[in-house]
């Protein structure tokens, strides 16, 4: 059958260099949503705002939370539109990074209107990317509590999870995090998030798999995708591969894996359904597209035009295959075998869950034959390791994570507690209350000139230090850091324009730390 692919998505205006006034205006053209007086009507109801991002990922989670929480009125933060496509998300990110002061003003106007209408909290499904991080800062400025409910757990390895490469952001800054389980909890704790604001609720994504019942018959499923009646159905879940060091190389490896699975299906008479990544990135190279289009054993479900949900897709699969998608584990929860195509030289967390990993076409053929055999045995249930990492061992995958999220949201809105404080580790007069230690900070020119960036990273125990020379650089840090001797009017103006908190450190304490880090002088013979 012919395979259709998603064409280039909508584009905004020009994104030329920001020193051109017209280009600056174009950065905001098309996506910014104006605030309307209707947005400020307070009808007395307690409201929670939510932030849209990727429809097939974060927005699905938001919809499920809304459905499980009837006590509150949920309203769209609605500060921007068009973020459903990757091209628009990139342009929105560019606008928020290159013109963060203007972007902040747009957010403040919208968020203040929401506060006037009775909004008490804002729910996000991620905050490591610039447009959403700035929402958290804007909410801090007007006294609105922020809550993170992650839409995804670890993608490949803990080191690459929840990381923004340029800014070195690596942990949430929301006032609360309702995380899945032990894996997310440990990652965020190690990166400076306070333990008393981390609450394990289980995974609404995985819980949905456990309780899911298909709506289609197998013949209806085959008819929708134009698949033949014979053979088994193998689903390949693609990924954007954007969390690997070389995205291009990783996508090529993924394409090679699909090519090998397609060859297997053609040899055995099986049917292959390829599901493109929810991010809507175009990840199918030309050589693979030609192979897919020429094969009668293939159907492609395209992000942005998905015919079926991931749960319905898995429910009708006889085998689920991917390089590293969460769908490998979701299949296990739904009683389906799965195989990881470890064509990229990186470890996979799914091997810990008992999912077989293969390195070649021959190895895949052998493992797939066994998994699809009539006498291949039943699929093992989720292990204790998986329950501890992606849920809470006290309740495992019990299908009730949304109810726990509902209860926690109600409790937080009723008694929000103090806002999260930001600080650097180990200095005198630390911040009071729940404290977050960010991975990137902005420092004064005086400190940079005196100690240098590398030494300051060690002194402050951070991943990156930035100068306040431009809004683009200054917005990369979550906390501004200076000393009485190095603070300037320009530094303070930049900080206030971005809504960043300030930590003033004692000059002598900084010097003492620097002295401890200095190498010992060489002894003369």
């Amino acid at each position: 059958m012919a395979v259709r692919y998603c064409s280039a998505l909508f584009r905004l205006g020009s994104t030329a260099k920001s020193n051109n006034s017209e280009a600056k205006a174009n950065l905001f053209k098309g996506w910014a949503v104006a605030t309307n007086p209707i947005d400020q009507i307070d009808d007395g109801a307690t409201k929670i705002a939510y932030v849209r991002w990727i429809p097939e990922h974060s927005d699905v989670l938001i919809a499920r939370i809304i459905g499980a929480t009837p006590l509150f009125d949920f309203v769209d933060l609605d500060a921007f539109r068009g973020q459903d496509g990757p091209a628009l998300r990139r342009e929105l990110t560019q606008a928020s990074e290159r013109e963060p002061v203007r972007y902040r003003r747009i957010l403040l106007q919208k968020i203040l209107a929401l506060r006037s209408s009775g909004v008490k909290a804002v729910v996000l499904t991620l905050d490591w990317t610039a447009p959403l991080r700035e929402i958290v800062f804007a909410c801090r400025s007007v006294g609105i509590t922020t809550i993170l409910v992650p839409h995804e757990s670890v993608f490949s390895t803990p080191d690459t999870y929840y990381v923004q490469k340029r800014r070195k952001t690596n942990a949430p800054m929301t006032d609360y995090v309702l995380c899945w389980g032990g894996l997310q909890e440990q990652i965020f704790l190690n990166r400076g998030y306070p333990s008393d604001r981390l609450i394990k609720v289980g995974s609404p994504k995985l819980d949905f798999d456990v309780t899911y019942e298909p709506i289609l018959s197998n013949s209806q499923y085959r008819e929708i995708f134009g698949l033949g009646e014979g053979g088994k159905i193998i689903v390949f879940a693609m990924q954007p591969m954007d969390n690997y060091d070389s995205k291009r190389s990783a996508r090529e490896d993924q394409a090679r894996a699909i090519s090998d699975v397609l060859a297997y299906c053609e040899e055995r008479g099986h049917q292959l359904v390829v599901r493109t990544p929810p991010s809507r990135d175009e990840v199918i190279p030309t050589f693979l597209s030609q192979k897919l289009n020429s094969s009668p054993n293939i159907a492609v479900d395209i992000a942005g035009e998905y015919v079926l949900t991931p749960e319905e897709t898995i429910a009708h699969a006889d085998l689920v295959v991917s390089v590293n998608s969460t769908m490998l584990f979701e299949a296990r929860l739904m009683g389906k075998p799965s195989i990881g195509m470890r064509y990229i030289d990186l470890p996979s967390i799914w091997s810990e869950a008992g999912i077989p990993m293969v390195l070649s076409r021959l190895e895949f053929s052998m493992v797939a034959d066994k998994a699809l055999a009539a006498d291949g045995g039943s699929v093992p249930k989720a292990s204790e390791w998986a329950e501890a990492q992606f849920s809470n061992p006290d309740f495992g995958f019990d299908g009730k994570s949304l109810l726990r999220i509902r209860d926690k949201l109600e409790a937080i809105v009723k008694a929000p507690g103090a806002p999260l404080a930001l600080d650097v580790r180990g200095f005198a007069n630390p911040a009071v209350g729940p404290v977050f230690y960010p991975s990137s900070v902005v420092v004064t020119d005086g400190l940079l000139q005196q100690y240098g960036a590398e030494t300051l990273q060690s002194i402050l125990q951070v991943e990156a230090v930035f100068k306040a020379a431009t809004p683009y650089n200054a917005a990369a840090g979550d906390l501004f850091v200076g000393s009485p001797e190095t603070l300037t009017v320009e530094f303070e103006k930049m900080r206030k324009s971005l809504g960043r908190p300030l930590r003033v450190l004692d000059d002598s304490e900084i010097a003492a730390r620097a002295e401890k880090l200095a190498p010992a002088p060489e002894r003369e013979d």
Side-chain angles (χ1 to χ4, degrees), residues 27-230:
L27 285 172
F28 292 80
K29 183 180 180 181
W31 58 258
V33 178
T35 301
N36 190 289
I38 296 174
D39 298 330
Q40 303 181 45
I41 296 175
D42 186 356
D43 58 6
T46 300
K47 300 182 181 71
I48 294 178
Y50 58 86
V51 181
R52 296 174 183 264
W53 197 240
I54 299 177
E56 294 86 354
H57 257 177
S58 52
D59 297 2
V60 169
L61 173 57
I62 292 293
R64 290 174 182 171
I65 292 173
I66 293 172
T69 315
L71 180 64
F72 298 118
D73 287 349
F74 283 81
V75 297
D76 189 349
L77 190 131
D78 198 30
F80 38 72
R81 62 167 64 91
Q83 69 276 15
D84 51 336
L88 288 167
R89 287 196 299 274
R90 283 192 293 269
E91 295 198 10
L92 177 56
T93 299
Q94 187 177 51
S96 63
E97 288 187 338
R98 296 195 176 278
E99 295 292 329
V101 176
R102 182 180 174 190
Y103 180 73
R104 173 176 164 79
R105 288 200 298 268
I106 292 172
L107 292 179
L108 285 171
Q109 183 185 48
K110 177 63 65 174
I111 291 170
L112 280 168
L114 291 175
R115 182 178 174 182
S116 298
S117 71
V119 167
K120 304 298 183 184
V122 172
V123 173
L124 303 95
T125 60
L126 70 158
D127 76 337
W128 57 262
T129 189
L132 306 187
R133 197 75 161 190
E134 295 299 335
I135 289 175
V136 177
F137 277 112
C139 288
R140 286 172 59 88
S141 296
V142 302
I144 290 182
T145 302
T146 52
I147 304 162
L148 176 73
V149 186
H151 76 272
E152 223 13 307
S153 186
V154 178
F155 301 119
S156 54
T157 64
D159 289 343
T160 59
Y161 176 65
Y162 219 85
V163 172
Q164 207 285 335
K165 292 180 181 179
R166 185 185 77 83
R167 293 184 167 202
K168 304 299 183 184
T169 303
N170 65 11
M173 203 188 71
T174 52
D175 294 306
Y176 292 88
V177 175
L178 308 185
C179 65
W180 289 21
L183 187 57
Q184 280 179 339
E185 178 187 46
Q186 198 57 51
I187 289 172
F188 293 154
L189 285 175
N190 290 343
R191 296 177 184 176
Y193 195 86
S195 59
D196 55 344
R197 292 296 178 89
L198 268 171
I199 305 165
K200 290 187 288 188
V201 295
S203 167
K205 179 183 179 72
L206 300 179
D207 270 3
F208 197 69
D209 298 321
V210 173
T211 59
Y212 188 77
E213 294 291 337
I215 60 174
L216 297 174
S217 66
N218 186 265
S219 60
Q220 289 171 331
Y221 178 92
R222 288 175 181 266
E223 182 178 349
I224 284 173
F225 285 117
L227 303 175
E229 289 299 323

Side-chain angles (χ1 to χ4, degrees), residues 412-460:
I412 291 169
V413 169
K414 185 177 180 180
L420 206 63
L422 275 66
D423 205 346
V424 289
R425 299 176 190 269
F427 281 84
N429 303 314
V432 178
V435 179
F436 168 55
Y437 301 102
S439 57
S440 56
V441 298
V442 180
V443 297
T444 57
D445 285 346
L447 289 178
L448 273 171
Q449 291 167 7
Q450 186 172 356
Y451 299 105
E454 188 174 340
T455 298
L456 280 174
Q457 283 178 216
S458 299
I459 290 173
L460 303 175

Side-chain angles (χ1 to χ4, degrees), residues 295-322:
S295 174
N297 298 66
I298 178 76
V300 178
D301 205 4
I302 304 165
E305 302 174 9
Y306 280 147
V307 177
L308 300 178
T309 64
E311 295 81 16
E312 188 72 17
T313 301
I314 295 172
H316 295 281
D318 296 295
L319 175 65
V320 174
V321 184
S322 181

Side-chain angles (χ1 to χ4, degrees), residues 227-240:
L227 303 175
E229 289 299 323
K232 304 288 188 178
I233 295 174
I234 298 177
V235 170
F236 195 109
M238 297 189 74
Q239 296 173 271

